Amino acid sequence: AGPLCRWHVFQLHTRDIICLTLHHIICDGSSLAVLGRDLTAAYDALATGHLPDLAPPRFSYADALTRPRAGEAEEASIAFWR
């Protein structure tokens, strides 16, 4: 079993390219969009000698776990997988 996350920075001519490899268990499509946006903003800021100014998360992982469920359709899906 390899690492869940690997990254490397390559230089291609005058550009830096970040190669990020993530296992699907630690990042879904929605999270990947946020990670890409924040990583790009942080890298751009640091590359120009500034500190990144990232927006705080809209909600925490704990909030996601405790939010109300979608309803009957979700309950049927949960029942199917039990």
Side-chain angles (χ1 to χ4, degrees), residues 59-67:
F59 58 88
S60 70
Y61 181 69
D63 292 337
L65 292 177
T66 58
R67 72 176 182 221

Side-chain angles (χ1 to χ4, degrees), residues 4-80:
L4 298 177
C5 177
R6 291 183 290 178
W7 65 279
H8 189 79
V9 179
F10 298 94
Q11 282 194 320
L12 182 63
H13 304 290
T14 60
R15 298 188 61 171
D16 292 331
I17 308 294
I18 299 173
C19 179
L20 180 63
T21 305
L22 300 168
H23 191 280
H24 69 90
I25 197 76
I26 65 167
C27 194
D28 63 3
S30 299
S31 300
L32 191 57
V34 173
L35 177 62
R37 182 193 67 221
D38 287 354
L39 185 59
T40 299
Y43 191 82
D44 288 345
L46 292 170
T48 58
H50 298 91
L51 291 176
D53 184 23
L54 302 176
R58 292 184 300 171
F59 58 88
S60 70
Y61 181 69
D63 292 337
L65 292 177
T66 58
R67 72 176 182 221
R69 292 193 175 151
E72 193 175 307
E74 187 171 353
E75 292 299 326
S77 178
I78 291 170
F80 172 80

